[in-house]
């Protein structure tokens, strides 16, 4: 692998990490929207409460919110791991160059 190929691979890692982080940010925005969809205390009438519609809605809302919240964390985790990989490669390259310079 040439040095140019190596630099291109590191740049690709950074670009991929940015894409995953951006996706995490998008899901964070969606999480805010979903959070605003929570039912207020008196938004359903008595029939909606008695028939179980209110409980069903609240359960579905909580499930969706939890899934989106998990997606935010997992997508950011992928981004962080890609950046950590890039840093590890850069550190190893610097150490290799130092060894060569020692002669």
């Amino acid at each position: 692998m040439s040095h140019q190929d190596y630099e291109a691979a590191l740049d690709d890692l950074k670009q991929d990490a940015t894409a995953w982080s951006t996706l995490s940010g998008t899901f964070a925005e969606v999480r805010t929207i979903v959070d605003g969809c929570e039912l207020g205390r008196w938004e359903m009438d008595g029939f909606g409460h008695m028939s179980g519609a209110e409980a069903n809605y609240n359960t579905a809302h909580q499930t969706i919110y939890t899934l989106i919240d998990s997606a935010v964390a997992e997508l950011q985790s992928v981004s962080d791991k890609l950046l950590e990989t890039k840093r590890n490669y850069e550190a190893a390259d610097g150490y290799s160059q130092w060894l060569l310079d020692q002669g």
Side-chain angles (χ1 to χ4, degrees):
M1 174 184 277
S2 71
H3 185 69
Q4 189 177 20
D5 292 338
Y6 176 77
E7 289 295 324
L10 291 179
D11 190 48
D12 287 346
L13 280 171
K14 183 179 179 185
Q15 288 177 18
D16 288 351
T18 300
W20 285 97
S21 184
T22 300
L23 189 55
S24 176
T26 300
F27 271 85
E29 292 172 12
V30 170
R31 180 181 55 194
T32 301
I33 294 167
V34 169
D35 191 37
C37 293
E38 187 173 19
L39 285 178
R41 186 175 173 125
W42 303 108
E43 283 192 58
M44 278 211 183
D45 60 13
F47 182 75
H49 179 73
M50 290 180 357
S51 69
E54 182 178 27
N56 288 341
Y57 182 90
N58 288 335
T59 300
H61 176 267
Q62 186 58 48
T63 300
I64 292 167
Y65 184 87
T66 300
L67 289 170
I68 291 171
D69 193 47
S70 295
V72 171
E74 291 302 320
L75 293 167
Q76 188 57 50
S77 176
V78 170
S79 175
D80 294 344
K81 287 176 183 174
L82 289 170
L83 288 176
E84 181 181 354
T85 300
K86 179 182 180 288
R87 284 191 297 272
N88 289 341
Y89 272 108
E90 288 171 332
D93 184 50
Y95 180 69
S96 297
Q97 186 60 50
W98 178 81
L99 284 175
L100 289 172
D101 291 345
Q102 301 309 306

